[in-house]
Amino acid sequence: MALSLVKNAQDRLSTDHFGRPMRGVEEVGSTNERAAQWAAKGAPEGATVLTEYQTTGRGRHGREWTAEKGRNLLFSVVLRPGLSPDRFGLLTVAAGVAVAEAVETVVSPHSALLKWPNDVLLEDRKTCGILLESSLAPPDADAVVVLGVGLNVNQSDFPASLADTATSLRLAAGRPVPRPPLLAQVLQSLERRYEAVRTGDAASVRAAFRTRLASLGATRTLHAPGTDEALTGTVQGITETGALRLRTADGTVTEVHAGDVTSQN
Ligand code: BTN
């Protein structure tokens, strides 16, 4: 199934690099891990690994990512951005914008919104998680970034732990969603927003992110990963480099570079 999905998407692909080449594997530990291995052996920018099922799918902050076999889009793209690591936060938000735009073409009139840094939400539930992982490069080499996308497409049942917070395109659209054209569309959109950041037009990405930021102007509590620390404030938007700006009760504006927006007031 993975191979026919790849083949059908490739027939519709209009990208320059993303999804070229694209490998389909029926089952894998994690496509991010497999893509990193491929990158270490010289995979070019845009090389993509797609699977129908992950046994050890990875989420942000060391969490696991689970997805039903054969119903979703689970893939990772090798990037060689040639950017300083302090710009990687922009790649993170660009990926969220790109997937939201592609998703919206399928679920319209529903809007796809974003929860910082890049969860894609439909009707306030998460339909896509995105994980960027970078490997340290020797001084003379550019870092490799692996961009992993877990998009819930046709899954209708979720484990109890996700039942109240997860959704899929199928649930939002009220009909099954063909995956090959969607994959081609997501790759196209990712390439476009990635190129914008890489070539210095991050302003357009930040503007697009802001219009989709679900919590803009609302009060949110942000939890630092792996700690009990929390910060509550009004969401102001994002900084030049993609960090979240929160205004706390005393009027201070704080920039947060990593964390989970896990509760709301
Ligand atoms: C998140 O925590 O929201 C990010 C989830 C990212 C999941 C995707 S599925 C494809 C790729 N391979 C992985 O192991 N993780 C990412």
Side-chain angles (χ1 to χ4, degrees):
M1 257 187 351
L3 282 180
S4 67
L5 174 53
V6 164
K7 165 96 186 48
N8 287 328
Q10 272 170 334
D11 290 346
R12 297 165 164 84
L13 209 54
S14 54
T15 53
D16 290 329
H17 300 291
F18 279 41
R20 302 177 189 276
M22 179 152 46
R23 289 182 179 167
V25 285
E26 259 336 285
E27 181 175 313
V28 71
S30 153
T31 55
N32 266 31
E33 190 179 359
R34 185 62 70 87
Q37 290 163 353
W38 192 9
K41 291 185 184 151
E45 163 118 318
T48 299
V49 178
L50 174 140
T51 194
E52 289 290 19
Y53 187 66
Q54 296 184 124
T55 51
T56 51
R58 306 206 280 243
R60 293 174 58 237
H61 307 311
R63 287 187 286 256
E64 63 170 359
W65 182 263
T66 56
E68 221 172 87
K69 192 175 204 153
R71 291 180 172 265
N72 300 302
L73 288 178
L74 306 167
F75 65 91
S76 301
V77 185
V78 172
L79 304 177
R80 300 177 180 277
L83 291 171
S84 125
D86 66 6
R87 311 296 281 173
F88 289 175
L90 282 170
L91 296 181
T92 301
V93 300
V97 168
V99 175
E101 287 169 340
V103 160
E104 210 164 81
T105 64
V106 172
V107 299
S108 174
H110 294 289
S111 302
L113 297 183
L114 290 164
K115 177 171 145 182
W116 183 84
N118 58 17
D119 288 349
V120 181
L121 308 178
L122 289 172
E123 298 171 318
D124 225 20
R125 288 167 177 247
K126 180 164 171 173
T127 195
C128 182
I130 301 171
L131 177 65
L132 278 94
E133 295 179 300
S134 56
S135 59
L136 294 173
D140 57 340
D142 284 336
V144 168
V145 174
V146 171
L147 188 175
V149 175
L151 177 56
N152 299 332
V153 183
N154 286 318
Q155 184 163 341
S156 327
D157 296 312
F158 291 91
S161 59
L162 300 176
D164 293 338
T165 55
T167 191
S168 68
L169 273 63
R170 177 184 185 141
L171 290 174
R175 56 176 171 80
V177 173
R179 291 183 298 161
L182 176 64
L183 174 57
Q185 176 87 44
V186 171
L187 287 168
Q188 170 83 36
S189 185
L190 283 169
E191 181 173 279
R192 175 170 163 256
R193 291 301 190 177
Y194 168 71
E195 282 301 333
V197 173
R198 220 180 52 77
T199 58
D201 180 23
S204 65
V205 172
R206 283 193 295 268
F209 183 85
R210 193 178 166 86
T211 64
R212 290 184 188 272
L213 182 55
S215 58
L216 192 62
T219 302
R220 291 288 185 268
T221 299
L222 208 125
H223 292 264
T227 73
D228 290 336
E229 285 170 42
L231 188 68
T232 298
T234 313
V235 176
Q236 305 289 299
I238 54 172
T239 67
E240 285 279 309
T241 56
L244 188 71
R245 295 175 73 237
L246 270 188
R247 185 188 297 275
T248 49
D250 65 2
T252 315
V253 176
T254 306
E255 296 180 4
V256 185
H257 294 266
D260 281 319
V261 183
T262 48
S263 63
Q264 63 191 61
N265 307 84

